[in-house]
Amino acid sequence: MSLDAFLALLVYAFVTSITPGPNNLMLLASGVNFGITRTVPHMLGISMGFLVLLLAVGLGLGAVLTAFPVLHTGLKIAGGAYLLYLAWKIAMSRSLTGKGETKARPMRFIDAAAFQWVNPKAWVMAITAMAVYANAEHPFLSVVLISIAFTIVNLPSVSVWAGFGTALRGFLSDPVRLKWFNIAMGVLLAATLWPMLK
């Protein structure tokens, strides 16, 4: 892969990682409701889960889903249902939690990593990256380089959303504002399904 191609890949990775999608909206809501420290496992889970998904797609899983459309449809249905469940949970959240509170909890590392497998945006990002930037003459090396590019960019990008949510905690400490913020985040998260339904 040429330096120009790798730089273009970094730009693609940055744009797709920083723009709104299910992960970033959930991180924004988690930052507001739990703070940055308690959201770190969620951020790390996204980055690691996406890396594993990216490697799997690059090493052949994307071709399997293309060959067996029923698997792809099943994945879309499961992902959509889980996304709606998460949107409902966020929309119904009504209080900020501090370090001492245990009633509500942020998404765990393993949950965030597993979510990448049913996240429509993550699949589109991974398949597009492999289709556009993989080199047929050096498939393994190009998969590794694509994975490195996303690893460099993904965690800092998703951290911005959690940080922004944390910055809003003071403003949203008012229960009425928090209620409407969480409802808006739940609706926006559910709306991320729209491209998948077309």
Side-chain angles (χ1 to χ4, degrees), residues 7-178:
L7 291 175
L9 171 60
L10 283 174
V11 170
Y12 171 77
F14 173 73
V15 170
T16 55
S17 295
I18 197 89
T19 52
N23 284 324
N24 291 337
L25 292 174
M26 287 191 298
L27 285 171
L28 178 64
S30 185
V32 166
N33 288 288
F34 304 107
I36 195 80
T37 304
R38 292 186 67 199
T39 302
V40 168
H42 187 168
M43 293 184 293
L44 294 173
I46 288 169
S47 292
M48 261 323 224
F50 183 70
L51 176 62
V52 171
L53 174 66
L54 194 60
L55 289 168
V57 168
L59 298 175
L61 183 60
V64 170
L65 291 176
T66 302
F68 299 99
V70 70
L71 290 175
H72 186 249
T73 302
L75 192 61
K76 284 173 75 170
I77 292 169
Y82 188 58
L83 202 77
L84 289 174
Y85 165 75
L86 292 173
W88 176 258
K89 283 187 68 167
I90 288 171
M92 294 297 104
S93 180
R94 293 292 179 261
S95 65
L96 296 176
T97 59
K99 290 182 181 179
E101 297 180 46
T102 57
K103 184 178 178 185
R105 65 171 176 77
M107 189 174 268
R108 297 176 304 173
F109 173 89
I110 194 70
D111 297 331
F115 175 69
Q116 302 321 297
W117 291 83
V118 294
N119 178 354
K121 183 181 176 188
W123 277 97
V124 169
M125 288 167 59
I127 290 170
T128 302
M130 291 304 166
V132 173
Y133 296 101
N135 183 336
E137 294 175 17
H138 305 285
F140 183 75
L141 180 60
S142 59
V143 167
V144 169
L145 287 173
I146 292 167
S147 301
I148 288 170
F150 272 95
T151 301
I152 291 168
V153 168
N154 189 267
L155 186 59
S157 296
V158 299
S159 299
V160 168
W161 286 83
F164 183 57
T166 301
L168 289 174
R169 279 175 69 86
F171 176 74
L172 294 173
S173 61
D174 176 290
V176 174
R177 288 185 198 140
L178 180 66

